[in-house]
Amino acid sequence: LLKQAFDEMSHFVNVENIFSFTDQKVELERLQAEFKYSLPQELQDYIRFYAPQKDIDLNTVGNPICLYGIEKLKFLQDGYNFNAETQEKINDWSDDWFLFADEGADPIILPLDTAYEIEKRNHGYGGWESGEGIAENIAQFLLCASYQHYALSQNDFDCIVDDEHGFNLDPEIAAWYFPQMKKYAKQYYSVWCGLFDNA
């Protein structure tokens, strides 16, 4: 699935300049040792062959999605499950959550106990209970986030029209973006497109 996603992304994103495509076996071994849960195969493949060297920012309507670089992938995540100042564990974070991105500090995780769907949890609610599924797997997440980034990168955000007709994506861009998202986001379409009145 990851290869298929990157093949599709290569039609509109220069993936060679963004992602690794080198064997990061040592980093995979490091992460497998840090987590008590077994890492699912898709996550192993992502870490080993695709995870970027540096953080990548992907545009959204609000805060960008920060896709973590390989060195930022780790078990102890400051502000999420660990307080670096006090050197203490933060207890409301589950040990089976693999954090690989965030959106305005809202963590984007893969639960390792089930390896079931990518979730975005919400901060500022006194805990991490509030959240939603945003993709079926890492491949779908990367593809949807890349499509969204590309659509919103056109014309320096002049592609969004907020007027008496509602909050809309520019019709020309919408004609390309929404059909692609219906095809690839599937049951998560409203997560990626529901903000727009012309979706």
Side-chain angles (χ1 to χ4, degrees), residues 150-171:
Y150 182 77
L152 296 177
S153 298
Q154 307 305 302
N155 303 320
D156 297 324
F157 283 88
D158 289 341
C159 56
I160 297 173
V161 181
D162 187 10
D163 58 20
E164 67 274 8
H165 302 293
F167 190 74
N168 296 299
L169 193 59
D170 174 84

Side-chain angles (χ1 to χ4, degrees), residues 133-154:
I134 61 173
E136 186 175 345
N137 49 50
I138 296 171
Q140 185 183 44
F141 167 78
L142 291 172
L143 191 53
C144 291
S146 296
Y147 266 116
Q148 179 179 251
H149 172 78
Y150 182 77
L152 296 177
S153 298
Q154 307 305 302

Side-chain angles (χ1 to χ4, degrees), residues 11 15 19 39 45 51 79 113 116 171:
H11 293 136
V15 294
F19 294 92
L39 303 183
D45 292 343
D113 62 340
Y116 175 72

Side-chain angles (χ1 to χ4, degrees), residues 21 44 60 83 87 91 103 120 122 151 197:
F21 300 108
Q44 290 186 43
T60 71
N83 185 324
Q87 293 292 301
N91 291 320
E103 183 178 342
K120 182 172 72 172
N122 300 315
D197 292 315

Side-chain angles (χ1 to χ4, degrees), residues 6 9-10 12-22 24 46 49-58 67-70 142 145-146 149-150 153:
F6 277 96
M9 288 160 57
S10 69
F12 59 93
V13 174
N14 190 345
V15 294
E16 297 287 344
N17 287 347
I18 299 174
F19 294 92
S20 174
F21 300 108
T22 59
Q24 302 178 115
Y46 172 71
F49 300 113
Y50 299 101
Q53 294 296 306
K54 303 291 182 184
D55 292 357
I56 299 170
D57 285 336
L58 300 170
L67 186 66
Y68 293 174
I70 190 70
L142 291 172
S146 296
H149 172 78
Y150 182 77
S153 298

Side-chain angles (χ1 to χ4, degrees), residues 38-49:
S38 170
L39 303 183
Q41 189 61 52
E42 186 192 40
L43 180 57
Q44 290 186 43
D45 292 343
Y46 172 71
I47 294 165
R48 184 167 179 177
F49 300 113

